[in-house]
């Protein structure tokens, strides 16, 4: 049986400022999706918030990029945005950049991670949702999970993973993609994905033949709001779905990649580098300097398309050290104030509101 998991997210308004989606908005989304489930449009769903982002997780049999599913998500976001406007929430309707739905939610503002695959006898998977950062924030952990033997023991000792994985990497500026094989092309993969604001891992595929080679085992949302809106409208807080176990990285190997709070861009005004902090859902709210950026993770089992879960995967003292480290790094980075490398490089600041400030100084420069 083939099943599709669709994770579609948008910032439709929040309280206080850009902090969290209030319960009332999440309830409204749940009511809409309950109706869709009862009418058979979707099999199951869960609604989450990652900070100020409303996250819709749905299972169905309609495949990826299905107009019905995308329209459903669009309608849920539109209804929630309407309510958010009535409530005068902050940034109400922020990520709904176009007025009308036209067959696919891509390019309208929301972020999308979807995958269709043949369900295994038992199908564990993890859903990651980040706030106050961008899609390239997943490059490092996804690389570690599927290509780094120091992270994933299975790459070394499980024969069904020993041959590695295939990475689908997108150039999100030039709108091109390339498939690259690990471990054969390890260094070339890193040559690209180290530039995380441009080259992002979109999908990962298996290699061994134990799983269908054309069915992804991981997928990341890569939408860029800036490219849709033509101006700065906030960071593209990304999401990812990763399947686990039986020839794939174990749940614990996947989570291990988040034990290191690596530097990501985002945080205040989408303009600063800072550590990504893995947190339980109760701490999915960015406060200090609108951050630091954070990541939540929900674990599930699929049962005939129904969702068993979520398990709040970072709700574990084993991640206290990563959180402590993240706080130390946050403090260190913050002391730089407006200086690079806390503030993003001039090149990346092109996509923020800084150019408008610099514009006003242009005529005052004299030749030297
Ligand atoms: C980051 C983010 C916030 C805002 C900041 C300013 O992704 O959403 O850090 O950029 O709070 O917001 P405005 O311009 O809406 O006052
Ligand atoms: Mg917001
Ligand atoms: Mg957000």
């Amino acid at each position: 049986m083939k099943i599709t998991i669709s994770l579609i997210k948008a910032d439709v308004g929040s309280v206080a400022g850009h902090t969290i989606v209030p319960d009332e908005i999440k309830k409204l989304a749940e009511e809409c999706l309950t109706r869709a489930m009862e009418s058979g449009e979707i099999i199951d769903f869960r609604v989450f918030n990652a900070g100020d982002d409303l996250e819709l997780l749905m299972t169905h049999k309609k495949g990826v990029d299905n107009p019905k599913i995308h329209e459903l998500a669009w309608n849920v976001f539109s209804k929630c945005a309407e309510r958010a406007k009535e409530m005068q929430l902050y940034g109400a309707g922020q990520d709904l950049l176009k007025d009308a739905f036209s067959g696919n939610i891509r390019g309208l503002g929301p972020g999308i991670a979807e995958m269709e695959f043949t369900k295994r006898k038992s199908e564990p998977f993890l859903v990651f949702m980040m706030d106050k950062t961008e899609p390239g924030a997943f490059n490092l952990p996804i690389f570690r999970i599927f290509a780094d033997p120091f992270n994933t023991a299975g790459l070394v000792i499980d024969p069904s993973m020993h041959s590695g994985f295939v990475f689908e990497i997108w150039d999100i500026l030039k709108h091109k993609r390339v498939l690259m094989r690990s471990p054969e092309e390890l260094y070339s993969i890193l040559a690209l994905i180290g530039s995380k604001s441009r080259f992002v891992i979109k999908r990962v595929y298996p290699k061994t033949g134990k799983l269908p080679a054309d069915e992804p085992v991981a997928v990341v949302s890569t939408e860029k709001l800036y490219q849709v809106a033509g101006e700065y409208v906030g960071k593209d807080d990304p999401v990812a779905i990763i399947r686990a176990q039986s020839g794939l990285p174990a749940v614990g190997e996947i989570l291990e990649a988040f034990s290191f709070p690596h530097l990501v861009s985002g945080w205040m005004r989408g303009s600063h580098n800072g550590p990504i902090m893995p947190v339980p859902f109760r701490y999915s709210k960015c406060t200090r300097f609108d951050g630091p950026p954070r990541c939540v993770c929900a674990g599930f089992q699929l049962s005939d398309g129904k969702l068993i879960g979520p398990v709040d995967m970072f709700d574990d003292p084993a991640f206290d050290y990563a959180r402590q480290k993240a706080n130390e790094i946050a403090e260190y980075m913050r002391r730089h104030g407006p200086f690079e490398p806390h503030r993003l490089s001039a090149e990346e600041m092109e996509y923020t509101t800084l150019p408008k400030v610099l514009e006003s100084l242009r005529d005052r420069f004299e030749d030297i």
Side-chain angles (χ1 to χ4, degrees):
M1 180 182 90
K2 277 206 180 191
I3 192 91
T4 310
I5 305 176
S6 298
L7 176 59
I8 309 187
K9 47 104 5 194
D11 180 343
V12 295
S14 45
V15 60
H18 291 286
T19 312
I20 59 155
V21 183
D23 286 343
E24 185 171 340
I25 297 291
K26 285 199 279 182
K27 274 206 193 87
L28 179 59
E30 276 166 358
E31 281 161 24
C32 299
L33 291 179
T34 301
R35 280 196 293 277
M37 188 175 70
E38 283 165 1
S39 73
E41 217 174 327
I42 53 175
I43 303 173
D44 206 355
F45 74 89
R46 293 288 185 278
V47 173
F48 301 100
N49 77 295
D52 61 357
D53 296 294
L54 179 62
E55 316 266 354
L56 313 178
L57 176 69
M58 298 170 282
T59 59
H60 55 94
K61 289 186 185 168
K62 296 185 164 71
V64 302
D65 280 327
N66 181 273
K68 283 248 152 60
I69 297 297
H70 282 208
E71 187 172 17
L72 171 64
W74 179 259
N75 290 341
V76 174
F77 290 139
S78 301
K79 274 219 173 76
C80 291
E82 232 167 81
R83 177 72 60 85
K85 281 175 191 161
E86 284 162 19
M87 292 167 75
Q88 301 182 9
L89 294 184
Y90 196 70
Q94 174 183 301
D95 283 1
L96 307 187
L97 300 176
K98 300 278 158 87
D99 292 334
F101 179 77
S102 53
N104 193 304
I105 204 165
R106 273 177 217 289
L108 303 184
I112 307 116
E114 291 186 296
M115 58 165 127
E116 185 186 33
F117 53 89
T118 310
K119 200 184 102 43
R120 296 170 291 171
K121 203 163 69 197
S122 180
E123 188 66 55
F125 72 97
L126 302 177
V127 168
F128 292 89
M129 297 164 274
M130 291 179 173
D131 191 30
K132 305 294 187 268
T133 184
E134 60 172 14
F138 275 112
N139 278 7
L140 188 149
I142 300 259
F143 175 84
R144 285 243 167 97
I145 294 162
F146 291 99
D148 180 0
F150 281 76
N151 181 89
T152 299
L155 292 169
V156 180
I157 63 180
D158 181 350
S160 57
M161 272 170 66
H162 196 65
S163 59
F165 290 89
V166 177
F167 288 76
E168 179 182 328
I169 299 165
W170 282 19
D171 177 342
I172 50 177
L173 291 187
K174 293 261 165 80
H175 304 283
K176 287 177 175 296
R177 68 171 160 195
V178 59
L179 288 172
M180 300 189 79
R181 297 169 71 80
S182 156
E184 304 93 301
E185 301 181 282
L186 211 57
Y187 301 155
S188 299
I189 291 172
L190 287 167
L192 292 178
I193 65 170
S195 299
K196 60 187 171 39
S197 60
R198 174 161 174 194
F199 296 100
V200 297
I201 299 170
K202 177 69 188 175
R203 296 185 185 87
V204 180
Y205 294 93
K207 241 193 205 175
T208 51
K210 194 175 169 193
L211 292 165
D214 58 345
E215 295 182 359
V217 293
V219 62
V220 181
S221 69
T222 47
E223 283 64 35
K224 295 296 281 182
L225 287 166
Y226 176 83
Q227 290 177 352
V228 179
E231 60 173 1
Y232 180 73
V233 280
K235 268 299 194 226
D236 319 281
D237 306 322
V239 293
I241 308 169
I242 307 179
R243 296 165 62 200
Q245 307 286 158
S246 309
L248 296 176
V251 165
E253 289 169 331
I254 296 171
L255 295 173
E256 174 67 9
F258 292 83
S259 64
F260 170 61
H262 63 292
L263 292 174
V264 300
S265 65
W267 208 345
M268 176 56 74
R269 298 178 188 275
S271 306
H272 294 82
N273 286 308
I276 184 113
M277 191 193 279
V279 292
F281 278 89
R282 65 181 173 282
Y283 294 134
S284 181
K285 52 178 174 194
C286 290
T287 56
R288 182 181 180 185
F289 200 55
D290 285 0
R294 49 200 81 189
C295 183
V296 289
C297 175
F300 293 95
Q301 286 287 141
L302 272 180
S303 176
D304 291 330
K306 283 275 178 196
L307 293 163
I308 302 181
V311 180
D312 188 350
M313 302 306 288
F314 290 135
D315 189 9
D316 180 347
F319 282 95
D320 283 351
Y321 178 77
R323 292 187 272 266
Q324 169 66 25
K325 198 58 162 175
N327 275 321
E328 284 166 22
I329 298 165
E331 177 62 21
Y332 174 81
M333 295 301 279
R334 276 304 300 129
R335 296 281 73 83
H336 292 78
F339 285 81
E340 297 177 7
H342 181 27
R343 195 173 79 188
L344 301 188
S345 67
E347 195 189 12
E348 286 184 280
M349 291 301 287
E350 291 285 323
Y351 305 105
T352 69
T353 48
L354 183 67
K356 287 183 184 153
V357 174
L358 297 180
E359 181 64 27
S360 65
L361 298 176
R362 207 171 52 171
D363 295 341
R364 293 179 48 195
F365 276 86
E366 308 168 354
D367 289 338
I368 44 171

